[in-house]
């Protein structure tokens, strides 16, 4: 026994003597590796962030150069004398040529840039954004001789954009009305955000842009708290952007912060990375090494068990849950945390299952909303009070022995309710809608003696397919809120037009109208889902137009200068656009 013990002790002593130099050499190697990695990481981070800043700076410099080239372009300068061309056709043709040059210039660039040219002398304006309309006063308010980060309105939506103006000649910056050509170049912050996202996807940190006024442009998945904290340190001068690499402590962790100056924008590109993450592989390797050496003698018996527990069981668990997901059980989740590489797989599996379940639920909810919108729309049309009033009017006319009026009213009433209660089809021709509208307005004329109406829609539009009951709620609003409360002779006009690839229907009245505040509230209500306190007819009209004609369809309201309200429906003519 003593021999065995001595042999065991000798073997253990020999193992320990062998392990001691290995441990010492490994410790020295780890320290050297940590120091080398820190130095290399400092250098690589600076190279990476400088490269991205250079790319952004090069793109902005290219846009600036193109702006100066546009201001010198002889064809662009012809915009100053465009008003001297007598032929309207030639003027329009020249504008189109200028616009085509701008669009070709935009297509050739990496970023989708908006170019606008203004000739103050004749107020001629050309832009790659056909929805944009500028005058000299607007340019004066927005004037940016150097690149500036501003909030701009593009196609009715507010965007954060970088903008710069180039005035030709330059000495007219203070007197823009005497300038020959003003070139505006702008691009949205989304392009920079996309570059930041691409940079981040490579696993190189969490970059963001820091402006001289403290504003930031972050990537989509940025840590807002960390970016704000770094911005505060720069504002309080605790961090100097001129220094390339600096260490910042945030929430008990050290971060390596790197700055790179973008000269054209006068912004700083900032990136940070946890030092712990940089050294994590080495620290983990060190821990694993010491643990392996310590547990080497006792882990041999448990190796088979650990292999089963840490590999085979997680794989089996993952396979079972994948099968559950395949069978349609999208609530399947893996709640086990094995504390190894499978934790990442399990987390990604749970994220994938949750996202799949969310997308299926979203599709289901959208379908329910669409059906709910149709139901609400139909319910809003079948107005029992309207029916009761019609019956009361028929009774009164019968007492007065006005048989023709009773017959006429009954005919229009039957047509109206026969059409509104049909639910087998969600669309109808414009001709059918106008026939319903005519029946409704004829019925209302029995109630409102001072009301007349006029329908002026081209015959070519009568066969267009539109959502059912699209015009009647608008006409009803015109009657009840406009003409009925109006003391004079009321007139409701329904007109249509089809041109330039667009179809429009307009309903207007000369009634009491509405205030600007009420109009703005009405436009806001169109964007929110209606509740018990708000009407749903106009909201349903907008939703059904978007569903059938796409996001370009719109409903707009205007207060008529001569009194009353004008409501216009517009949607693209798909058939004409495809033909062209």
């Amino acid at each position: 026994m003593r021999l065995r013990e001595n042999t065991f002790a000798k073997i253990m002593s020999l193992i320990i003597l062998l392990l001691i130099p290995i441990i010492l050499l490994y410790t020295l190697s780890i320290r050297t590796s940590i120091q080398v990695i820190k130095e290399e990481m400092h250098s690589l981070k600076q190279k990476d962030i400088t490269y991205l800043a250079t790319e952004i700076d090069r793109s902005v410099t290219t846009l600036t150069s193109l702006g100066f080239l546009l201001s010198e372009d002889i064809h662009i300068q012809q915009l100053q004398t465009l008003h001297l061309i007598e032929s309207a056709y030639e003027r329009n043709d020249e504008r189109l040529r200028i616009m085509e040059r701008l669009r070709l210039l935009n297509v050739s660039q990496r970023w989708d840039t908006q170019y606008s040219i203004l000739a103050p002398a004749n107020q001629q304006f050309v832009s790659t954004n056909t929805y944009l309309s500028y005058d000299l006063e607007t340019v004066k308010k927005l004037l940016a001789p150097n690149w500036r980060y501003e909030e701009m309105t593009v196609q009715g939506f507010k965007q954060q954009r970088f903008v710069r103006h180039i005035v030709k000649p330059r000495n007219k910056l203070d007197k823009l009305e005497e300038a020959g050509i003003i070139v505006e170049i702008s691009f949205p912050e989304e392009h920079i955000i996309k570059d930041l996202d691409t940079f981040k996807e490579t696993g190189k940190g969490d970059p963001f842009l820091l402006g001289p006024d403290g504003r930031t442009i972050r990537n989509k998945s940025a840590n807002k708290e960390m970016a704000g904290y770094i911005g505060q340190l720069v504002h309080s001068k605790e961090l100097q952007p001129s220094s390339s690499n600096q260490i910042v402590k945030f929430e008990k962790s050290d971060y390596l912060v790197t700055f790179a100056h973008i000269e054209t924008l006068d912004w700083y590109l900032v990136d940070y990375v946890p030092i712990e993450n940089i050294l994590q592989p080495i620290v983990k390797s060190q821990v694993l090494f010491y643990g392996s050496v310590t547990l080497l003698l006792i882990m041999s018996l448990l190796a088979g068990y650990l292999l089963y527990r840490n590999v085979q069981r997680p794989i089996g668990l993952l396979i079972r849950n994948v099968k559950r997901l395949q069978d349609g059980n999208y609530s399947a989740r893996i709640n086990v945390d094995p504390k190894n590489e499978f934790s990442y797989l399990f987390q990604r599996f749970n994220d994938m299952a949750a996202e799949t379940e969310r997308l299926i639920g979203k599709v289901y909810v959208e379908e329910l909303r669409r059906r709910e919108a149709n139901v609400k729309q139909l319910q809003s049309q079948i107005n029992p009070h309207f029916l009761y009033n019609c019956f009361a009017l028929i009774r009164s006319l019968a007492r007065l022995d006005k048989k023709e009026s009773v017959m006429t009213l009954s005919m229009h009433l039957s047509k109206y309710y026969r059409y509104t209660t049909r639910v087998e089809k969600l669309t109808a021709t414009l001709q059918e809608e106008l026939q319903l509208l005519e029946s409704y307005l004829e019925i209302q004329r029995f109630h409102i003696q001072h009301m007349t109406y006029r329908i002026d829609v081209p015959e070519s539009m009568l066969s267009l397919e539109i959502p059912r009951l699209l015009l009647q709620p608008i006409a009803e609003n015109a009657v009840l809120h406009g003409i009925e409360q109006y003391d004079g002779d009321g007139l409701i006009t329904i007109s249509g037009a089809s041109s330039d690839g667009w179809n429009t229907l307009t309903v207007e009245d000369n009634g009491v109208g509405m205030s600007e505040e009420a109009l703005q509230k009405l436009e806001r209500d169109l964007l929110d889902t209606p509740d018990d306190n708000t009407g749903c007819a106009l909201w349903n009209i907008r939703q059904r137009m978007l569903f059938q004609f796409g996001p370009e369809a719109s409903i707009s309201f205007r207060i008529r200068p001569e009194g009353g309200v004008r409501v216009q429906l517009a949607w693209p003519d798909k058939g004409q656009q495809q033909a062209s």
Side-chain angles (χ1 to χ4, degrees):
M1 189 67 179
R2 292 181 179 178
L3 180 61
R4 292 182 180 177
E5 291 177 354
N6 291 335
T7 303
F8 177 78
K10 290 178 181 179
I11 293 174
M12 292 300 297
S13 299
L14 181 61
I15 293 175
I16 293 174
L17 291 175
L18 290 174
L19 290 177
I20 288 176
I22 295 176
I23 294 174
L24 291 177
L25 291 174
Y26 183 81
T27 303
L28 179 61
S29 174
I30 286 293
R31 292 181 179 178
T32 305
S33 298
I34 290 176
Q35 184 63 29
V36 171
I37 288 177
K38 284 184 177 180
E39 294 174 358
E40 287 296 320
M41 195 62 193
H42 286 197
S43 176
L44 290 175
K45 289 300 298 181
Q46 188 62 50
K47 290 180 181 178
D48 290 339
I49 203 70
T50 301
Y51 174 79
L52 179 57
T54 302
E55 286 295 310
I56 297 175
D57 190 84
R58 183 182 295 115
S59 298
V60 177
T61 301
T62 301
L63 296 180
T64 305
S65 301
L66 292 176
F68 280 105
L69 289 176
L70 285 176
S71 67
E72 300 289 344
D73 193 315
I74 186 171
H75 298 282
I76 300 298
Q77 292 182 1
Q78 289 179 0
L79 191 66
Q80 304 177 64
T81 59
L82 191 63
H83 64 288
L84 300 178
I85 301 177
E86 296 181 358
S87 172
Y89 174 81
E90 293 181 358
R91 288 197 302 271
N92 185 59
D93 188 55
E94 184 64 28
R95 287 174 58 88
L96 290 176
R97 280 198 295 269
I98 295 175
M99 187 176 299
E100 186 64 23
R101 293 177 68 87
L102 296 179
R103 289 176 176 172
L104 289 175
L105 189 64
N106 188 22
V107 169
S108 64
Q109 300 305 308
R110 186 168 70 94
W111 290 346
D112 182 13
T113 310
Q114 178 177 290
Y115 295 95
S116 302
I117 312 294
L118 175 66
N122 54 15
Q123 291 294 312
Q124 293 292 332
F125 177 78
V126 177
S127 175
T128 55
N129 182 1
T130 56
Y131 296 93
L132 192 64
S133 178
Y134 269 6
D135 55 19
L136 188 59
E137 294 301 321
T138 304
V139 174
K140 286 182 178 180
K141 295 178 182 178
L142 194 62
L143 183 64
N146 297 311
W147 286 101
R148 198 166 65 192
Y149 187 57
E150 295 289 344
E151 183 179 77
M152 301 176 65
T153 301
V154 178
Q155 298 183 11
F157 296 96
K158 291 185 177 181
Q159 288 184 348
Q160 294 292 340
R161 301 176 70 93
F162 283 96
V163 61
R164 179 171 181 176
H165 293 89
I166 298 173
V167 180
K168 182 69 176 181
R170 186 174 178 82
N171 58 6
K172 299 299 182 181
L173 276 172
D174 297 330
K175 296 181 180 180
L176 293 182
E177 59 275 359
E178 298 179 7
I181 288 292
I182 301 176
V183 179
E184 180 187 278
I185 318 162
S186 71
F187 61 90
E189 64 177 2
E190 281 77 10
H191 296 313
I192 292 181
I193 294 175
K194 184 177 180 180
D195 287 347
L196 296 177
D197 290 337
T198 303
F199 184 85
K200 186 174 181 179
E201 287 175 359
T202 61
K204 295 181 178 179
D206 191 15
F208 64 93
L209 262 67
L210 179 64
D213 54 356
R215 290 186 293 178
T216 60
I217 300 177
R218 303 180 297 272
N219 61 79
K220 294 181 180 179
S221 58
N223 186 334
K224 299 180 181 179
E225 291 77 11
M226 186 63 185
Y229 180 68
I230 293 176
Q232 292 177 4
L233 293 179
V234 173
H235 182 71
S236 61
K237 298 184 179 180
E238 295 182 36
L239 274 180
Q240 298 296 331
S242 56
S243 300
S244 59
N245 293 287
Q246 301 173 67
I247 303 299
V248 171
K249 194 172 189 65
F250 180 71
E251 294 183 354
K252 300 181 180 180
S253 298
D254 291 333
Y255 292 83
L256 174 64
V257 182
T258 309
F259 294 87
H261 189 226
I262 303 176
E263 296 182 359
T264 52
L265 301 179
D266 195 23
W267 283 51
Y268 280 95
L269 180 61
V270 187
D271 191 18
Y272 65 91
V273 62
I275 295 180
E276 180 181 353
N277 289 357
I278 301 173
L279 303 178
Q280 185 177 7
I282 294 181
V283 173
K284 186 176 181 180
S285 176
Q286 185 178 13
V287 171
L288 290 176
F289 175 80
Y290 289 127
S292 299
V293 171
T294 304
L295 301 176
L296 181 61
L297 297 177
I298 61 175
M299 289 300 294
S300 58
L301 299 176
L302 300 176
Y305 171 76
L306 292 179
L307 181 65
Y308 170 79
R309 180 178 180 181
N310 291 288
V311 177
Q312 191 63 35
R313 285 181 59 184
I315 290 177
L317 183 61
L318 185 60
I319 291 175
R320 288 195 297 272
N321 281 275
V322 168
K323 289 182 177 179
R324 291 174 61 192
L325 194 64
Q326 187 178 8
D327 293 337
N329 184 6
Y330 299 104
S331 61
R333 300 291 187 274
I334 301 177
N335 299 320
V336 177
D337 185 7
K339 305 296 183 181
N340 56 26
E341 292 82 358
F342 283 95
S343 297
Y344 177 82
L345 292 177
F346 291 170
Q347 183 61 40
R348 299 289 77 78
F349 173 86
N350 291 338
D351 293 344
M352 179 191 69
E355 182 67 13
T356 303
E357 186 176 21
R358 186 188 68 81
L359 291 175
I360 292 176
K362 181 179 179 181
V363 172
Y364 178 73
V365 169
E366 289 297 329
E367 179 65 19
L368 289 180
R369 286 183 178 177
R370 187 182 70 84
R371 294 182 179 181
E372 180 184 357
N374 291 331
V375 172
K376 286 185 177 181
Q377 183 269 331
L378 291 174
Q379 291 175 345
S380 67
Q381 308 309 318
I382 306 175
N383 191 335
H385 297 289
F386 175 70
L387 181 61
Y388 299 156
N389 292 338
C390 290
F391 283 152
L393 182 59
I394 291 174
R395 182 180 179 185
S396 299
L397 293 174
R399 284 182 177 178
L400 297 175
D401 199 23
K402 294 185 177 181
K403 297 181 180 180
E404 293 295 330
S405 298
V406 171
M407 292 176 62
T408 302
L409 180 58
S410 301
M411 178 190 66
H412 287 298
L413 186 61
S414 66
K415 289 182 178 180
Y416 177 81
Y417 275 95
R418 184 182 301 114
Y419 185 84
T420 57
T421 53
R422 286 169 52 193
V423 295
E424 69 278 2
K425 189 178 179 183
L426 298 178
T427 61
T429 64
L430 180 56
Q431 184 175 11
E432 292 174 333
E433 283 288 296
L434 294 177
Q435 290 174 353
L436 169 72
L437 203 58
E438 185 174 359
S439 296
Y440 174 77
L441 293 175
E442 285 293 339
I443 293 172
Q444 290 291 4
R445 287 185 62 190
F446 283 94
H447 292 281
I448 307 173
Q449 301 295 328
H450 64 278
M451 185 192 78
T452 59
Y453 67 90
R454 183 173 68 248
I455 299 177
D456 182 16
V457 177
E459 186 176 354
S460 59
M461 295 181 64
L462 297 180
S463 60
L464 294 177
E465 286 283 336
I466 62 175
R468 285 170 47 81
L469 301 173
L470 193 68
L471 295 174
Q472 190 274 339
I474 300 176
E476 183 176 351
N477 284 340
V479 172
L480 299 181
H481 303 296
I483 302 302
E484 188 175 21
Q485 304 175 20
Y486 184 55
D487 295 333
D489 294 333
L491 174 63
I492 295 179
T493 303
I494 300 95
S495 59
S498 179
S499 62
D500 298 331
W502 284 85
N503 296 319
T504 59
L505 289 173
T506 304
V507 179
E508 54 185 343
D509 64 85
N510 64 343
V512 296
M514 62 194 312
S515 64
E516 287 288 345
E517 292 78 8
L519 180 63
Q520 294 175 3
K521 182 179 182 301
L522 179 61
E523 292 176 341
R524 289 195 302 269
D525 291 341
L526 282 179
L527 303 177
D528 299 328
T529 303
D531 52 28
D532 296 337
N533 299 322
T534 59
C536 64
L538 295 177
W539 181 83
N540 277 327
I541 290 174
R542 179 176 179 270
Q543 292 299 114
R544 290 185 293 134
M545 288 186 66
L546 293 176
F547 181 77
Q548 179 160 340
F549 302 120
E552 296 177 336
S554 65
I555 176 173
S556 59
F557 306 88
R558 294 291 184 273
I559 299 176
R560 302 174 71 243
E562 59 271 24
V565 176
R566 177 186 293 113
V567 183
Q568 186 177 73
L569 307 177
W571 67 93
D573 189 344
K574 300 296 184 181
Q576 183 173 343
Q577 289 179 353
Q578 293 175 0
S580 61

